[in-house]
Amino acid sequence: MPPVLDLTALRSLTAIADYGGFRRAAEALCISQSAVSQHVRRLEKAVGRPLVAPDGRGTRFTPDGELLVAVGRRILTLHDDALEQLGVDAVLAGQSTITIGSTEHAADHLLPLVMSALTTEFPDVQVRFRLDRGARINEALDRGSIDVAVLIGEGNAATARPAGRLPLAWFAATDWAAPPPERPLPLVAIDDPCTIRSQALRVLARAGRTASVVGEAGYLAGVLHAVRAGVGVALLADVGAVPQGLERRDDLPPVDPEPLHVRARRSAHPRLTHLIGNAVRTALDERPRTDRRPGPAS
């Protein structure tokens, strides 16, 4: 009888590639690291050659290991597609946890619907969230430590799908007064690189309004603190309630919405991308109108 490639072992092997090592693969699959090692040994016994080799303090795939990872992905995809066509859910086969990444912009409005969609579809799966800068989220997707993410921009990865457009508006402290047009507009923004920061400067420049970034922060919370303190004005997501202590400034140039996309790690099932994309679009369609209290003309 010819050797048989065990599907559970193949999931462990591809998880090692996706998550960057035995320990992370074990955490993602919610099994022990020794179980992952046993699965690799089972595959090595089946093919009769090593699949991983020592590499300093870690390990690396041998050429045969890399080949089996690629072939294993195809085998698992065919297996899961067959179950799905038969009405047996295999979207999260081998997973008891799914990790969702997101930028901070509008996260408080978008993520509750994402959570609801996932828990309704997969009631036995634990959902975790990671909020971070877009570049770090993309790096985590590449490592496989995040399953699916909601990100700003068009998305140029093969696993990225459009998820609507994020409205943007200017916000400032309720007692903030804009300087006269001949003086630079004080701007508060997230550190470069930041899509919304670039959009703010571009829109003001097109409108002939000089701007100066007078406040910077690594994350959105810092931007909000600075704006509440009256440091300057900020371009923010215009969904949900107006941030506490701020008001919308309709006296500044209007800004086009920013596209959103959903991107999945390489081996994630496409249905996850569609499910989360639909949840994001629904959240944007149902967004309540924010308070529109114009400030004094600048």
Side-chain angles (χ1 to χ4, degrees), residues 189-265:
I190 289 178
D191 299 335
D192 259 336
C194 173
T195 300
I196 292 181
R197 173 192 177 121
S198 299
Q199 175 81 312
L201 293 170
R202 187 164 53 247
V203 167
L204 292 171
R206 279 203 304 261
R209 189 71 161 93
T210 303
S212 175
V213 178
V214 298
E216 296 179 289
Y219 292 91
L220 183 61
V223 171
L224 293 174
H225 286 314
V227 176
R228 289 190 187 102
V231 172
V233 65
L235 185 62
L236 304 172
D238 185 24
V239 294
V242 173
Q244 185 177 6
L246 304 185
E247 66 179 7
R248 178 175 171 149
R249 300 290 301 215
D250 290 328
D251 54 325
L252 294 173
V255 183
D256 291 334
E258 277 289 336
L260 292 176
H261 69 274
V262 174
R263 183 193 163 200
R265 62 178 171 82

